[in-house]
Amino acid sequence: GFSGRLLLLGPFLESDINEIIKYNVEITIFDVDKLIYLENEAEKNNAKIKVHVKIETGLHRQAHPWC
């Protein structure tokens, strides 16, 4: 089987949270609301969820504004 890291670069559905936790998927965060949601779900499930934070650096791609 696969034993490496799995990073989801696109958005995720909240209905997929059980699979995200089960398969230890790293999630890309574009906004604070999703980060808060993941934090609450991790706490409810006594789990850790790894995140990759996208920050807007001026190229106007999909990311959270720095300020």
Side-chain angles (χ1 to χ4, degrees):
F2 180 75
S3 62
R5 292 172 49 195
L6 182 59
L7 173 62
L8 179 62
L9 293 174
F12 67 93
L13 299 175
E14 292 180 0
S15 60
D16 293 333
I17 192 65
N18 291 329
E19 286 79 16
I20 288 168
I21 293 170
K22 179 179 179 180
Y23 296 110
N24 198 28
V25 177
E26 286 184 50
I27 301 299
T28 303
I29 297 298
F30 305 100
D31 61 65
V32 175
D33 292 334
K34 289 289 188 180
L35 182 61
I36 293 169
Y37 170 76
L38 287 174
E39 182 179 33
N40 291 335
E41 288 299 313
E43 189 174 313
K44 276 195 324 192
N45 291 284
N46 195 29
K48 291 184 179 182
I49 300 174
K50 295 178 183 176
V51 296
H52 176 86
V53 179
K54 301 260 314 175
I55 297 176
E56 177 58 58
T57 59
L59 295 175
H60 306 291
R61 295 187 221 165
Q62 197 174 25
H64 183 72
W66 179 253
C67 343

